[in-house]
Amino acid sequence: MSTSSQPKQVDPRWASQVTPELETAVREKGKDGSITCPVLRKLAEDFGVPYKVAGAAADIVGVKVKNCDLGCF
């Protein structure tokens, strides 16, 4: 497990597709600083974006994905 204080690198291919609205939605759902995998997948589906884009949004706003079932994030 890494203990680096470096911010997580966000893939520019996915980050370029993150909208302010998606960032806001992820931030709101991840109020405690984390979001579950099923909730983030649902947001991706609601916004019509690939899971990787939703994952990039979580990285951008500093929300950690927990209980990831599929390894999408």
Side-chain angles (χ1 to χ4, degrees):
M1 188 158 123
S2 175
T3 58
S4 174
S5 62
Q6 300 261 343
K8 187 170 181 179
Q9 291 278 337
V10 181
D11 189 320
R13 294 173 296 172
W14 308 120
S16 67
Q17 298 178 56
V18 175
T19 64
E21 295 82 11
L22 179 55
E23 284 184 25
T24 299
V26 170
R27 196 176 287 114
E28 287 175 357
K29 294 288 185 179
K31 289 185 187 206
D32 64 352
S34 64
I35 191 169
T36 64
C37 184
V39 170
L40 191 56
R41 286 196 321 261
K42 176 74 167 108
L43 282 175
E45 293 162 6
D46 290 349
F47 278 84
V49 298
Y51 294 156
K52 293 285 189 181
V53 174
D59 291 340
I60 289 168
V61 301
V63 171
K64 294 186 182 221
V65 180
K66 63 181 183 176
N67 299 334
C68 191
D69 302 326
L70 304 174
C72 301
F73 307 105

